[in-house]
Amino acid sequence: MSSRDAILQRLRHRTGGELTAPECDFSVLNRPDWSTAEKLDMFERTIESVHGEVHRTTESGWIDRLAEILQTRGAQTLLIAKEHEIGKALKNATENREDLPQLLVYDEAIDSWQETLFNDVDAGITSTRGGIAETGSLILWPSVDEPRLMSLVPPIHIAVLKASELYTTFHDAMQSQNWAAGMPTNALLVSGPSKTADIEQTLAYGVHGPKELIVLVIE
Amino acid sequence: MVDPIKVYPAKPSKVYFYGTCLVDMFYPDAGMAGIQLLEREGIEVIYPEDQTCCGQPAYTSGYHDEARAVARAQLGLFPEDWPIVVPSGSCGGMMRKHYPALFKDTADDVKAAEIAGRIWELTDFLVNVCHIKLEDLGEPTTVAMHTSCSARREMGVAEVGPKLLGQLKNVNLVEQVRAEECCGFGGTFAVRHPEISGAMVSEKVDTLVNTGAREFVTTDCGCLMNIAGYAEKNQKPVTGQHILSFLWERTNGDGGKHS
Amino acid sequence: MSETTHHSAHHIDVKEFHPRARAAIHNPQIRQNFRKAMDGLMTKRKSAFEGWDLETLRDLGANIRMRALANLPDLLEQLEQKLTENGVTVHWAADGDEACEIVRDICLARDAKSVIKGKSMVSEEMELNHYLEDQGIEALESDLGEYIVQLAEETPSHIIMPAIHKNTTEISQLLHDKTGTDLSNDVEYLTANARLQLREKFRNADVGISGVNFAVAETGTLCLVENEGNGRMTTTVPPCHIAVTGIEKVVPKLEDVTALLALLTRSATGQHITTYFNMISGPRKADELDGPEEVHLVLVDNGRSTIYQDDELLDTLRCIRCGACMNHCPVYTRVGGHAYGTTYPGPIGKILMPHMVGLDEGRHLPTASSLCGACGEVCPVKIPIPDLLVRLRQEAVDGDKLHPAKVRGHGAKRGTVEAMIWKGWSWMHARPGLYRLGTALGARFRKLQPGKLGGWTQYRTAPKLAAKTLHERMKERSQ
Ligand code: SF4
């Protein structure tokens, strides 16, 4: 018999007899209905407590803000998506402004340009599928247009979050967006920059992923 | 899996007193103090003569047949439905929490469960059933308190000791760091793993000494034996007492003489 | 078979717990490293749960895990089916050796020479690194703590923080010796160097191997909890990702992970959430630009289906590997993780490892506890760890005729002398008259009491018998 069948058989013919599944009441996860402003405050406080940076901005002002942020960091290159409106807006903007870094478009399979991505990209910008106030988390569903490594490999990750898409809790977000109906190949909660405390409990950032996480909140 | 929720009875006219073997042999003063405190509350105390040991040492060592034989000899000691009070969180925990498991699938299961439901740790009983009011007659002093792990976690009485001490106006209660950490007694553990137990008790004594208190009280004789024994052997400036002895001495007005 | 003998080569004798514990206790560095770390972790956990109805949340955690176990075979099949639909290949392994062989075969089929690993305690159970090395495949740990431990040729001393037994100076020296970094107590510098070294490895690795924190049956999703990003790298950069996990890790609903995650990170490190919560449901799709082409899941039994048979022992399988029980364990804090000589140290190790190594090998594990209950009090899924320790002590001495022992190697600790002592003890304490006589005699002749009582008086004065027992005093009183 295969190990699979042997394991399943042992589990099915339990000597202790059938088990009964208890009820699961998730109401302990419920939180009061916070307003968008309250959620945003909470989100900001929580993500900043773990070294994330939040900039509140607007539909018309975010590119200026981004340019400023990247300039102070001396970023030379910024990775953008091909189709997403964020990438498009940036591309249009570069046509008549000088203060943005060079834009690189993630439009080829990684296998052909892995080395460049690892060595020559200073920042990556992605959209989000919303945020979670309670834990200060960003929801990312990488896609064909915004592949997984965009938010992982460059030392700076910039995420654009619409304040109107903030949820109170993870449970809330998952239920509202009906995740159980179908998951992408990869989904993520990102709550701050990469970090470790493996050396004597001392925090250090950017151990494998981005050293900085910058959230542009569109209010 | 779920601990039974404590429902305190009304103050009874009589209780059974289950002294425990450690109190019996090593700390009978603590037992007498507990009995006198109860009597002062107007409760008649019945001391079943045939009591020996709750069976815990064998139980926690894995010798359940032997533990059951000893425990079974205790089941017949409490025929009336009076509460059973125990001057120990550890033995109390054994009888309240583990008797039902020990007698599961035996002819005594109902009886064991019934008795388990009547078990009360004595300080808990004084506070939450007797609603005791203490008048402090002693000199000003500073004490620390060590609540045993079983009193804290099995009997859920961590708040009770500080409440009682708080009623004593001349007693300044100080708290050691890591108050909730085990002192390292653990019954046969102290003998089976002497180095680990020794390391635990040495840190416990250090934290007690660091409070500045020169005496500590505790709910359990095992912890007392362990902590005070370590302090004595290593000449650490702290001595210990069962909390019941301490309470009785400070409130009975005869300067600490019992019975 | 040569494949199945590899474990013995690196074997640590679990039975030798005492000398290792003794050595740790007399090592001030170990004592200080653990004390400091555990104090910090306990404080953080406490504050992370502030404002929560923790009892209710823990009840939910326990119920979610129990609901999963109640339907375990169905859920595993559902998980397999969903994952297969998603393009993930599912494998089943009866034990660590078979799991190693499955991993090897996947590597061989891809002609893989180098493997990069995310943190996985199941792979530690399998002793996978050594196995792959013996097969000529380089396996490199990428979690910083695991990386340090691997460089030191040690095993993790904590299931969440593998290198917690070392301080910065020790780590700096190690990195200097093994990777040529400068000696420095600047953690940023040390970390940045590790990043550099490992980035190259990520880029060139043929296979990434990770663990799994929760496997969701309804969607076929593998969830990974981490802070560093090495888990994401491991599961994204190499062309092939192999996840290994225990068969108990499955939960029915995606919703379940919200509560378990809330419990896990707060219990483990006092974090509201970790930096990354990574949910993987399949390999790279045809039009996607990155991600592994191949994803495999290896479901490892290794004794779990045996634990599953017993109603009481079953609770062991609720564990979500948060490590809170070790953080709060006064014994673990004193002896550190290596003293146990087991993959999983601390309280969870004491209740889990006897099933994996047998109670004959692991006979000391359940006794190395004062039964203080701190572990059970903090366990996010309410595993009654102290009760399970007592159960295993009973099994170790075949101590209950009503409930015959079942665990492999049971009865190994039953010594004739000890058994006779307890028999004698029981005989006397079940006979009140005899007990009274004995204790009264003891009181009368207390001066003859020996001043030395083995381990007890090594650290403490001997307990002093009272001049009169309470029995005698009550008797006098009634006369
Ligand atoms: S036994 Fe409980 S506390 Fe210990 S690791 Fe498992 S879940 Fe965490």
Side-chain angles (χ1 to χ4, degrees):
Chain A
M1 200 187 315
S2 69
S3 290
R4 175 189 187 276
D5 294 347
I7 292 168
L8 286 172
Q9 193 178 51
R10 284 172 63 72
L11 297 178
R12 285 202 196 289
H13 301 98
R14 203 176 157 272
T15 47
E18 286 230 353
L19 292 162
T20 35
E23 289 296 316
C24 295
D25 176 1
F26 284 77
S27 58
V28 63
L29 300 177
N30 293 348
R31 295 292 172 266
D33 273 330
W34 288 332
S35 68
T36 301
E38 284 170 313
K39 280 189 271 194
L40 182 52
D41 285 346
M42 181 72 173
F43 172 82
E44 189 172 56
R45 225 178 318 130
T46 320
I47 200 163
E48 282 181 352
S49 75
V50 292
H51 230 74
E53 211 177 290
V54 175
H55 296 264
R56 299 187 184 207
T57 175
T58 58
E59 203 63 76
S60 58
W62 69 269
I63 297 186
D64 292 340
R65 203 52 179 277
L66 175 68
E68 229 177 274
I69 291 167
L70 291 175
Q71 264 185 347
T72 54
R73 286 163 174 83
Q76 305 288 317
T77 47
L78 175 65
L79 184 62
I80 59 168
K82 188 172 159 210
E83 305 289 342
H84 197 280
E85 60 194 39
I86 294 172
K88 283 192 174 149
L90 282 168
K91 249 201 259 162
N92 289 338
T94 42
E95 277 164 24
N96 40 38
R97 60 194 293 169
E98 302 278 279
D99 57 351
L100 282 167
Q102 185 199 342
L103 300 180
L104 297 172
V105 185
Y106 200 153
D107 55 3
E108 257 178 69
I110 181 63
D111 319 71
S112 61
W113 71 292
Q114 196 207 49
E115 190 164 352
T116 314
L117 175 61
F118 271 76
N119 297 329
D120 301 324
V121 179
D122 296 329
I125 187 165
T126 69
S127 67
T128 57
R129 243 181 164 247
I132 297 166
E134 185 178 64
T135 52
S137 309
L138 298 164
I139 303 167
L140 267 71
W141 281 29
S143 61
V144 174
D145 191 36
E146 293 187 317
R148 313 180 196 202
L149 293 174
M150 277 185 96
S151 60
L152 180 61
V153 176
I156 304 169
H157 173 210
I158 298 134
V160 181
L161 169 69
K162 295 195 178 110
S164 59
E165 290 177 354
L166 272 168
Y167 299 88
T168 308
T169 64
F170 183 22
H171 190 259
D172 199 13
M174 182 185 277
Q175 300 296 91
S176 309
Q177 297 187 353
N178 194 18
W179 288 19
M183 289 289 278
T185 50
N186 187 209
L188 295 158
L189 301 186
V190 176
S191 316
S194 151
K195 64 169 178 272
T196 185
D198 274 348
I199 302 182
E200 212 184 327
Q201 304 284 288
T202 310
L203 275 173
Y205 294 93
V207 53
H208 293 294
K211 203 176 171 76
E212 287 189 84
L213 173 67
I214 294 160
V215 187
L216 298 176
V217 180
I218 312 286
E219 284 191 278
Chain B
M1 207 163 80
V2 183
D3 291 330
I5 296 165
K6 270 197 257 182
V7 182
Y8 293 105
K11 187 173 163 185
S13 58
K14 291 182 183 173
V15 297
Y16 289 113
F17 190 89
Y18 191 79
T20 82
C21 58
L22 284 186
V23 164
D24 191 26
M25 289 187 277
F26 297 102
Y27 300 100
D29 284 353
M32 291 309 301
I35 289 165
Q36 286 163 310
L37 283 163
L38 287 165
E39 287 172 344
R40 198 172 64 193
E41 293 304 299
I43 294 174
E44 189 184 330
V45 177
I46 313 298
Y47 185 83
E49 205 194 359
D50 281 352
Q51 59 182 284
T52 61
C53 168
C54 66
Q56 194 204 42
Y59 181 73
T60 55
S61 296
Y63 287 85
H64 292 192
D65 293 325
E66 285 75 9
R68 199 177 288 117
V70 171
R72 185 171 282 124
Q74 318 305 307
L75 294 182
L77 303 176
F78 317 106
E80 305 297 330
D81 65 356
W82 308 322
I84 304 157
V85 295
V86 188
S88 155
S90 171
C91 311
M94 174 69 194
M95 299 171 88
R96 189 178 179 100
K97 212 185 138 201
H98 301 295
Y99 271 17
L102 188 60
F103 288 99
K104 205 180 108 202
D105 308 326
T106 73
D108 295 312
D109 56 351
V110 175
K111 195 166 188 188
E114 188 274 321
I115 284 175
R118 278 194 279 147
I119 301 287
W120 299 96
E121 193 276 335
L122 211 163
T123 55
D124 191 19
F125 192 83
L126 289 175
V127 170
N128 291 310
V129 179
C130 301
H131 306 290
I132 194 171
K133 293 280 167 288
L134 296 170
E135 196 194 334
D136 192 2
L137 306 173
E139 294 297 310
T141 186
T142 299
V143 295
M145 162 139 202
H146 173 70
T147 302
S148 78
C149 297
S150 35
R152 178 184 300 277
R153 302 197 177 96
E154 289 195 331
M155 300 302 277
V157 303
E159 276 91 55
V160 167
K163 252 188 212 159
L164 284 167
L165 297 170
Q167 289 188 21
L168 302 174
K169 63 179 190 304
N170 286 332
V171 172
N172 173 30
L173 176 65
V174 287
E175 195 181 348
Q176 67 279 25
V177 296
R178 295 191 282 269
E180 64 293 327
E181 192 172 85
C182 178
C183 71
F185 175 63
T188 50
F189 168 74
V191 183
R192 270 187 224 286
H193 298 280
E195 282 92 1
I196 304 174
S197 173
M200 286 162 71
V201 69
S202 81
E203 283 184 42
K204 181 58 75 186
V205 168
D206 287 345
T207 58
L208 289 169
V209 169
N210 288 342
T211 61
R214 289 298 160 255
E215 51 181 332
F216 72 91
V217 296
T218 175
T219 46
D220 275 76
C221 293
C223 311
L224 178 57
M225 209 175 248
N226 182 39
I227 302 172
Y230 179 89
E232 188 183 3
K233 171 136 183 161
N234 298 281
Q235 294 165 352
K236 301 284 181 178
V238 66
T239 57
Q241 217 180 1
H242 196 289
I243 187 170
L244 294 170
S245 308
F246 183 80
L247 293 176
W248 176 250
E249 281 179 17
R250 292 196 69 93
T251 57
N252 87 329
D254 75 351
K257 285 188 262 354
H258 310 294
S259 55
Chain C
M1 279 192 304
S2 62
E3 299 94 302
T4 52
T5 55
H6 76 278
H7 284 175
S8 52
H10 311 282
H11 206 80
I12 295 166
D13 192 351
V14 179
K15 287 199 293 297
E16 294 300 300
F17 173 76
H18 279 99
R20 281 193 301 265
R22 203 173 301 131
I25 278 174
H26 297 295
N27 181 336
Q29 194 63 66
I30 291 277
R31 291 285 292 278
Q32 199 191 323
N33 293 355
F34 276 95
R35 179 85 262 178
K36 184 179 159 216
M38 298 305 119
D39 279 352
L41 288 164
M42 287 194 282
T43 312
K44 281 193 203 141
R45 173 189 174 273
K46 210 178 227 166
S47 70
F49 280 118
E50 254 160 40
W52 282 80
D53 179 353
L54 183 53
E55 279 317 290
T56 311
L57 183 62
R58 289 170 71 225
D59 280 333
L60 175 58
N63 287 341
I64 289 173
R65 290 297 300 133
M66 192 55 214
R67 178 169 74 175
L69 293 174
N71 299 313
L72 188 58
D74 291 345
L75 290 174
L76 286 168
E77 281 194 309
Q78 190 189 358
L79 176 72
E80 180 185 44
Q81 191 202 330
K82 275 284 160 194
L83 282 170
T84 310
E85 282 170 25
N86 297 351
V88 177
T89 314
V90 178
H91 312 258
W92 303 69
D95 54 23
D97 289 336
E98 191 180 359
C100 282
E101 287 157 25
I102 291 168
V103 171
R104 176 202 58 193
D105 290 346
I106 298 169
C107 289
L108 286 181
R110 299 191 58 89
D111 198 20
K113 292 278 171 285
S114 68
V115 161
I116 190 97
K117 283 185 66 209
K119 225 184 103 44
S120 153
M121 286 309 295
V122 171
S123 77
E124 297 286 343
E125 241 177 73
M126 295 155 59
E127 299 183 38
L128 179 63
N129 293 358
H130 289 306
Y131 178 86
L132 290 178
E133 249 167 56
D134 292 348
Q135 306 287 323
I137 300 169
E138 181 199 43
L140 189 72
E141 295 288 349
S142 64
D143 170 89
L144 185 60
E146 292 277 356
Y147 175 69
I148 292 166
V149 164
Q150 192 181 28
L151 285 177
E153 296 174 49
E154 293 175 351
T155 54
S157 59
H158 189 284
I159 63 170
I160 302 289
M161 285 143 295
I164 206 158
H165 56 291
K166 290 191 182 306
N167 64 18
T168 310
T169 314
E170 293 168 306
I171 292 169
S172 164
Q173 184 69 50
L174 174 74
L175 293 174
H176 172 73
D177 294 346
K178 301 273 175 161
T179 70
T181 54
D182 294 339
L183 286 177
S184 164
N185 274 353
D186 179 358
V187 172
E188 288 242 1
Y189 165 80
L190 299 173
T191 306
N193 268 292
R195 174 187 171 106
L196 271 180
Q197 313 240 3
L198 285 163
R199 281 221 150 190
E200 275 314 292
K201 301 287 184 182
F202 280 124
R203 283 191 48 214
N204 298 316
D206 301 313
V207 171
I209 298 182
S210 77
V212 174
N213 290 95
F214 318 113
V216 183
E218 72 173 336
T219 51
T221 302
L222 309 175
C223 304
L224 274 76
V225 177
E226 58 141 349
N227 284 307
E228 296 186 358
N230 70 305
R232 285 183 68 194
M233 287 280 194
T234 303
T235 58
T236 315
V237 180
C240 173
H241 166 212
I242 307 172
V244 293
T245 194
I247 53 169
E248 84 284 16
K249 283 283 165 67
V250 64
V251 291
K253 305 253 174 230
L254 200 54
E255 173 184 43
D256 293 348
V257 306
T258 60
L260 295 180
L261 179 66
L263 282 163
L264 173 61
T265 64
R266 288 179 176 86
S267 302
T269 49
Q271 292 177 269
H272 300 294
I273 193 165
T274 47
T275 299
Y276 301 115
F277 184 57
N278 185 2
M279 292 158 271
I280 298 165
S281 305
R284 181 198 302 205
K285 289 203 175 120
D287 53 352
E288 287 181 333
L289 303 180
D290 61 19
E293 299 150 10
E294 255 183 54
V295 177
H296 298 264
L297 174 68
V298 185
L299 291 165
V300 186
D301 182 346
N302 203 22
R304 289 164 173 85
S305 64
T306 307
I307 301 176
Y308 188 73
Q309 305 298 315
D310 181 272
D311 285 347
E312 191 182 13
L313 301 172
L314 173 75
D315 288 343
T316 314
L317 298 177
R318 292 210 297 262
C319 176
I320 56 172
R321 305 283 190 265
C322 72
C325 54
M326 53 199 80
N327 299 347
H328 291 75
C329 177
V331 173
Y332 176 87
T333 304
R334 301 308 185 299
V335 304
H338 288 149
Y340 298 85
T342 51
T343 306
Y344 302 90
I348 178 61
K350 288 182 238 186
I351 59 169
L352 180 61
M353 290 312 298
H355 301 285
M356 294 188 175
V357 300
L359 257 178
D360 33 6
E361 274 249 348
R363 70 183 72 165
H364 295 305
L365 295 172
T367 70
S369 163
S370 63
L371 299 180
C372 76
C375 48
E377 187 179 48
V378 297
C379 176
V381 289
K382 292 200 165 178
I383 300 176
I385 301 172
D387 293 347
L388 288 169
L389 288 170
V390 170
R391 162 72 185 269
L392 290 170
R393 290 179 184 188
Q394 182 267 105
E395 297 249 345
V397 297
D398 276 340
D400 194 342
K401 290 199 188 71
L402 280 180
H403 306 103
K406 305 174 174 169
V407 178
R408 179 158 62 90
H410 65 80
K413 202 171 179 302
R414 192 176 181 94
T416 339
V417 176
E418 194 184 84
M420 268 172 50
I421 290 174
W422 284 116
K423 274 220 160 60
W425 174 89
S426 175
W427 195 76
M428 170 167 154
H429 285 79
R431 287 167 180 73
L434 209 64
Y435 167 85
R436 281 196 298 275
L437 184 67
T439 51
L441 281 174
R444 205 74 71 249
F445 296 107
R446 68 189 192 284
K447 297 269 153 52
L448 301 178
Q449 188 197 334
K452 280 208 163 57
L453 297 167
W456 178 269
T457 43
Q458 199 180 331
Y459 297 97
R460 314 159 189 83
T461 51
K464 294 164 196 66
L465 287 166
K468 275 182 193 164
T469 64
L470 184 61
H471 270 97
E472 291 175 288
R473 296 193 31 193
M474 290 308 285
K475 185 107 190 175
E476 283 173 15
R477 215 171 176 239
S478 63
Q479 278 161 3

